[in-house]
């Protein structure tokens, strides 16, 4: 197997791959897949990549599914990194790039993580998969479950957009609406997963979804000629993508693909649900439950992220920061990006670009 072991992100306990594991059995923290990076470096070379398939699976040496026949893929990954000169000029920045994840299957970056997680679920013998979702993850889970012939169960807050319900059900998933937030949907999902033996694909509750998300980091490096950006702004709910990219940078350095320089990581949250922002400002290692979470950006309405300590660790170690934006700024920022870039990305807000300029390394 390409995965050597699964390792707890808190207590460093290790687990053998090849069977279903969720959280660490000792401390209930997320698990990370660890690879033989010395071996991977022999074939995962810069000059070898141009001829490979144009999907996230081009980095197969550091992904958990060994047999290509076991990969449930719909062509996810290798999304464009688009220059935004007009936006940069308006913000007073020399160079701004937008990683456009909207071209992924089911229209979001969630496809990366669910491709890896559902592939591993099937490889490990699961017959049914499940997760709580604010919309995009549910439709992605349903799509990959349909691809692999697995039963899918999705649990969502009652107030999510009807379009997500329609799409998720169109893929054949069983969808249950739940009163409350995604955290409430997560409790219902976890209880039924335990009762019925479903493979739970909730954010960081199994080791492989983050492996798909980390490929954004590999792609950024490859698309920038094996350098990394100065700053990465990331809309942060559960934060799996931010955590995954930080893991990818560590792996790439170990394989000699990049040097030690890291981007400053900026976690962007909605003002009505900003537990990471509050914890970072207070210098705390984790973020307590955010009470009364509210934002119309439902993907950011995560009152307690399982990987909060990993998000905060990446932000701190990169000399980054965490910022919150108001509902009005989210709406206006989306309009500003659309007018100056030609794309309308939810949650990518202009204020975050401005505020990231004050996030500098000591001495710079």
């Amino acid at each position: 197997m390409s995965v050597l072991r699964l390792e707890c992100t808190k207590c460093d306990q290790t687990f053998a791959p090849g069977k279903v594991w969720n959280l660490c059995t000792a401390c209930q923290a997320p698990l990370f897949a660890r690879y033989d990076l010395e071996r991977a470096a022999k074939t995962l070379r810069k000059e070898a990549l141009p001829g490979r398939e144009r999907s996230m699976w081009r980095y197969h040496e550091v992904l958990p599914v060994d047999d290509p026949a076991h990969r449930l893929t719909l062509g996810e990954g290798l999304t464009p990194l688009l220059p935004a000169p007009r936006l940069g000029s308006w913000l007073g920045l020399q160079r701004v790039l937008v990683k456009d994840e909207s071209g992924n299957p089911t229209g979001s970056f969630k496809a990366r993580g669910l491709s890896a997680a559902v592939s591993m679920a099937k490889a490990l013998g699961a017959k049914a998969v499940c997760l709580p979702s604010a919309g995009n993850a549910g439709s992605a889970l349903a799509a990959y479950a349909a691809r692999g012939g697995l039963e899918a169960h999705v649990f969502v807050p009652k107030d999510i957009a009807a379009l997500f319900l329609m799409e998720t059900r169109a893929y054949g998933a069983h969808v249950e609406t739940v009163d409350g937030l995604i955290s409430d949907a997560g409790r219902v999902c976890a209880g039924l997963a335990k009762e019925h033996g479903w493979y739970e694909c909730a954010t960081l509750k199994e080791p492989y979804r983050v492996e798909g998300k980390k490929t954004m980091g590999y792609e950024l490096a490859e698309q920038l000629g094996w350098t990394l950006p100065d700053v990465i702004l990331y809309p942060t709910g559960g934060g799996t993508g931010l955590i995954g990219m930080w893991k990818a940078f560590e792996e790439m350095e170990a394989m000699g693909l990049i040097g030690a320089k890291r981007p400053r990581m900026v976690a962007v949250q909605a003002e009505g649900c900003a537990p990471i922002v509050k914890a970072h400002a207070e210098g705390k290692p984790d973020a307590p439950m955010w009470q009364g979470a509210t934002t119309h950006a439902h993907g950011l309405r995560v009152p307690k992220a399982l990987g909060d300590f990993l998000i905060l660790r990446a932000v701190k170690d990169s000399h980054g920061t965490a910022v919150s934006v108001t509902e009005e700024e989210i709406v206006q920022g989306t309009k500003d990006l659309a007018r100056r870039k030609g794309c309308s990305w939810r949650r990518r807000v202009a204020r975050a670009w401005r505020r990231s300029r004050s996030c500098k390394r000591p001495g710079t």
Side-chain angles (χ1 to χ4, degrees):
M1 256 187 109
S2 58
V3 177
L4 286 179
R5 65 187 182 280
L6 300 173
E7 184 178 281
C8 178
T9 52
K10 267 192 178 177
C11 71
D12 295 329
Q13 184 163 334
T14 60
F15 302 83
K19 61 177 290 188
V20 174
W21 296 104
N22 292 109
L23 301 176
C24 174
T25 56
C27 70
Q28 296 299 293
L31 303 178
F32 272 179
R34 297 300 187 188
Y35 304 86
D36 183 344
L37 296 178
E38 184 177 351
R39 177 183 175 187
K42 294 178 181 178
T43 54
L44 184 51
R45 302 189 310 273
K46 299 174 185 179
E47 64 272 17
L49 286 169
R52 292 191 178 186
E53 65 178 284
R54 298 187 61 79
S55 82
M56 74 175 197
W57 295 99
R58 65 199 282 108
Y59 313 111
H60 60 82
E61 290 94 340
V62 288
L63 287 171
V65 185
D66 294 308
D67 187 345
H70 293 162
R71 297 171 193 158
L72 302 178
T73 179
L74 295 167
E76 55 290 327
L78 210 64
T79 55
L81 187 62
L82 304 174
R86 290 190 63 234
L87 179 61
S89 176
W90 179 61
L91 295 171
L93 299 174
Q94 288 186 343
R95 191 183 189 198
V96 173
L97 301 166
V98 176
K99 183 70 166 151
D100 188 352
E101 288 288 285
S102 63
N104 276 306
T106 71
S108 85
F109 72 124
K110 303 287 186 178
R112 296 176 184 268
L114 273 307
S115 174
V118 178
S119 292
M120 281 302 297
K122 183 167 185 178
L124 292 170
K127 304 299 181 185
V129 291
C130 65
L131 53 61
S133 174
N136 284 318
S139 58
L141 177 86
Y144 287 99
R147 182 73 165 175
L150 279 70
E151 189 176 286
H153 300 267
V154 177
F155 300 83
V156 298
K158 279 188 174 179
D159 62 351
I160 75 161
L163 178 63
F164 288 122
L165 298 176
M166 293 169 60
E167 182 180 18
T168 304
R169 286 173 174 148
Y171 288 120
H174 304 276
V175 182
E176 182 175 331
T177 58
V178 178
D179 286 324
L181 306 175
I182 193 169
S183 51
D184 301 297
R187 282 190 288 272
V188 175
C189 178
L192 290 172
K194 185 175 181 180
E195 179 182 345
H196 297 290
W198 301 337
Y199 186 99
E200 197 173 358
C201 294
T203 299
L204 293 170
K205 288 195 75 173
E206 54 80 56
Y208 305 112
R209 188 168 161 184
V210 69
E211 295 302 294
K213 291 283 191 70
K214 80 179 181 186
T215 59
M216 289 187 291
Y218 280 88
E219 287 178 23
L220 282 174
E222 184 181 359
Q223 290 169 321
L224 290 172
W226 301 100
T227 62
L228 295 176
D230 294 323
V231 179
I232 292 178
L233 296 160
Y234 191 81
T236 305
T240 320
L242 188 151
I243 294 166
M245 285 189 285
W246 197 246
K247 182 177 188 287
F249 301 151
E250 175 189 308
E251 292 174 352
M252 284 188 282
E253 182 182 359
M255 291 186 287
L257 293 171
I258 62 171
K261 183 182 177 182
R262 295 288 185 273
R264 300 189 294 278
M265 307 300 284
V266 180
V268 184
Q269 297 198 299
E271 189 176 66
C273 185
I276 299 299
V277 176
K278 185 174 187 294
H280 175 70
E282 295 174 353
K284 293 180 178 178
D286 51 29
M289 174 73 74
W290 184 274
Q291 300 300 324
T294 177
T295 173
H296 73 266
H298 289 175
L300 298 184
R301 199 175 58 180
V302 180
K304 175 65 176 174
L306 181 61
D308 55 359
F309 68 100
L310 295 170
I311 300 168
L312 289 161
R313 186 186 301 169
V315 168
K316 180 181 179 181
D317 289 351
S318 70
H319 305 289
T321 192
V323 298
S324 63
V325 291
T326 66
E327 298 300 289
E328 293 76 15
E329 287 169 329
I330 292 174
V331 173
Q332 187 59 48
T334 301
K335 292 178 181 178
D336 290 337
L337 278 172
R339 289 168 183 163
R340 291 172 174 85
K341 176 65 190 74
C343 62
S344 179
W345 274 29
R346 292 164 290 171
R347 305 174 298 185
R348 271 60 170 183
V349 290
R351 185 183 178 203
W353 289 96
R354 289 195 185 98
R355 291 177 68 175
S356 71
R357 297 178 68 188
S358 64
C359 168
K360 295 183 178 181
R361 296 183 188 277
T364 64

